[in-house]
PDB file of all heavy atoms in Angstrom:
ATOM      1  N   LEU X 153     100.904  99.865 108.286  1.00  0.00           N
ATOM      2  CA  LEU X 153     101.479  99.943 106.941  1.00  0.00           C
ATOM      3  C   LEU X 153     100.533 100.622 105.958  1.00  0.00           C
ATOM      4  O   LEU X 153     100.931 101.507 105.209  1.00  0.00           O
ATOM      5  CB  LEU X 153     101.778  98.517 106.491  1.00  0.00           C
ATOM      6  CG  LEU X 153     102.498  98.356 105.156  1.00  0.00           C
ATOM      7  CD1 LEU X 153     103.908  98.898 105.275  1.00  0.00           C
ATOM      8  CD2 LEU X 153     102.522  96.888 104.781  1.00  0.00           C
ATOM      9  N   LEU X 154      99.255 100.260 105.985  1.00  0.00           N
ATOM     10  CA  LEU X 154      98.296 100.864 105.076  1.00  0.00           C
ATOM     11  C   LEU X 154      98.024 102.315 105.433  1.00  0.00           C
ATOM     12  O   LEU X 154      97.836 103.162 104.539  1.00  0.00           O
ATOM     13  CB  LEU X 154      96.999 100.055 105.061  1.00  0.00           C
ATOM     14  CG  LEU X 154      97.103  98.643 104.503  1.00  0.00           C
ATOM     15  CD1 LEU X 154      95.777  97.920 104.591  1.00  0.00           C
ATOM     16  CD2 LEU X 154      97.625  98.621 103.076  1.00  0.00           C
ATOM     17  N   TYR X 155      98.057 102.638 106.713  1.00  0.00           N
ATOM     18  CA  TYR X 155      97.895 104.045 107.128  1.00  0.00           C
ATOM     19  C   TYR X 155      99.074 104.880 106.684  1.00  0.00           C
ATOM     20  O   TYR X 155      98.909 106.010 106.205  1.00  0.00           O
ATOM     21  CB  TYR X 155      97.736 104.118 108.639  1.00  0.00           C
ATOM     22  CG  TYR X 155      97.511 105.523 109.154  1.00  0.00           C
ATOM     23  CD1 TYR X 155      96.321 106.179 108.923  1.00  0.00           C
ATOM     24  CD2 TYR X 155      98.498 106.183 109.867  1.00  0.00           C
ATOM     25  CE1 TYR X 155      96.096 107.479 109.375  1.00  0.00           C
ATOM     26  CE2 TYR X 155      98.309 107.456 110.334  1.00  0.00           C
ATOM     27  CZ  TYR X 155      97.102 108.116 110.082  1.00  0.00           C
ATOM     28  OH  TYR X 155      96.905 109.381 110.535  1.00  0.00           O
ATOM     29  N   ALA X 156     100.290 104.357 106.785  1.00  0.00           N
ATOM     30  CA  ALA X 156     101.475 105.083 106.328  1.00  0.00           C
ATOM     31  C   ALA X 156     101.440 105.293 104.821  1.00  0.00           C
ATOM     32  O   ALA X 156     101.798 106.368 104.326  1.00  0.00           O
ATOM     33  CB  ALA X 156     102.761 104.321 106.721  1.00  0.00           C
ATOM     34  N   GLN X 157     100.983 104.312 104.073  1.00  0.00           N
ATOM     35  CA  GLN X 157     100.871 104.449 102.627  1.00  0.00           C
ATOM     36  C   GLN X 157      99.807 105.466 102.280  1.00  0.00           C
ATOM     37  O   GLN X 157      99.977 106.251 101.349  1.00  0.00           O
ATOM     38  CB  GLN X 157     100.523 103.071 101.992  1.00  0.00           C
ATOM     39  CG  GLN X 157     100.349 103.124 100.505  1.00  0.00           C
ATOM     40  CD  GLN X 157     101.642 103.456  99.762  1.00  0.00           C
ATOM     41  OE1 GLN X 157     102.718 103.293 100.301  1.00  0.00           O
ATOM     42  NE2 GLN X 157     101.510 103.940  98.555  1.00  0.00           N
ATOM     43  N   GLN X 158      98.735 105.504 103.047  1.00  0.00           N
ATOM     44  CA  GLN X 158      97.668 106.460 102.784  1.00  0.00           C
ATOM     45  C   GLN X 158      98.156 107.886 103.051  1.00  0.00           C
ATOM     46  O   GLN X 158      97.810 108.819 102.337  1.00  0.00           O
ATOM     47  CB  GLN X 158      96.472 106.127 103.671  1.00  0.00           C
ATOM     48  CG  GLN X 158      95.222 106.916 103.386  1.00  0.00           C
ATOM     49  CD  GLN X 158      94.092 106.488 104.303  1.00  0.00           C
ATOM     50  OE1 GLN X 158      94.303 106.117 105.458  1.00  0.00           O
ATOM     51  NE2 GLN X 158      92.901 106.526 103.787  1.00  0.00           N
ATOM     52  N   LEU X 159      98.981 108.085 104.069  1.00  0.00           N
ATOM     53  CA  LEU X 159      99.520 109.405 104.370  1.00  0.00           C
ATOM     54  C   LEU X 159     100.470 109.863 103.303  1.00  0.00           C
ATOM     55  O   LEU X 159     100.473 111.053 102.949  1.00  0.00           O
ATOM     56  CB  LEU X 159     100.265 109.369 105.739  1.00  0.00           C
ATOM     57  CG  LEU X 159      99.381 109.318 106.961  1.00  0.00           C
ATOM     58  CD1 LEU X 159     100.262 109.266 108.213  1.00  0.00           C
ATOM     59  CD2 LEU X 159      98.462 110.513 107.049  1.00  0.00           C
ATOM     60  N   THR X 160     101.305 108.979 102.755  1.00  0.00           N
ATOM     61  CA  THR X 160     102.256 109.398 101.754  1.00  0.00           C
ATOM     62  C   THR X 160     101.571 109.648 100.399  1.00  0.00           C
ATOM     63  O   THR X 160     102.036 110.488  99.632  1.00  0.00           O
ATOM     64  CB  THR X 160     103.365 108.345 101.567  1.00  0.00           C
ATOM     65  OG1 THR X 160     102.756 107.084 101.208  1.00  0.00           O
ATOM     66  CG2 THR X 160     104.174 108.215 102.823  1.00  0.00           C
ATOM     67  N   SER X 161     100.494 108.918 100.104  1.00  0.00           N
ATOM     68  CA  SER X 161      99.836 109.131  98.817  1.00  0.00           C
ATOM     69  C   SER X 161      98.768 110.226  98.883  1.00  0.00           C
ATOM     70  O   SER X 161      98.417 110.800  97.869  1.00  0.00           O
ATOM     71  CB  SER X 161      99.183 107.814  98.350  1.00  0.00           C
ATOM     72  OG  SER X 161      98.121 107.476  99.208  1.00  0.00           O
ATOM     73  N   GLY X 162      98.236 110.530 100.061  1.00  0.00           N
ATOM     74  CA  GLY X 162      97.158 111.467 100.175  1.00  0.00           C
ATOM     75  C   GLY X 162      97.509 112.801 100.728  1.00  0.00           C
ATOM     76  O   GLY X 162      98.406 113.493 100.685  1.00  0.00           O
TER      77      GLY X 162
END
Side-chain angles (χ1 to χ4, degrees):
L153 185 67
L154 295 177
Y155 181 71
Q157 178 66 21
Q158 188 179 33
L159 286 179
T160 58
S161 66

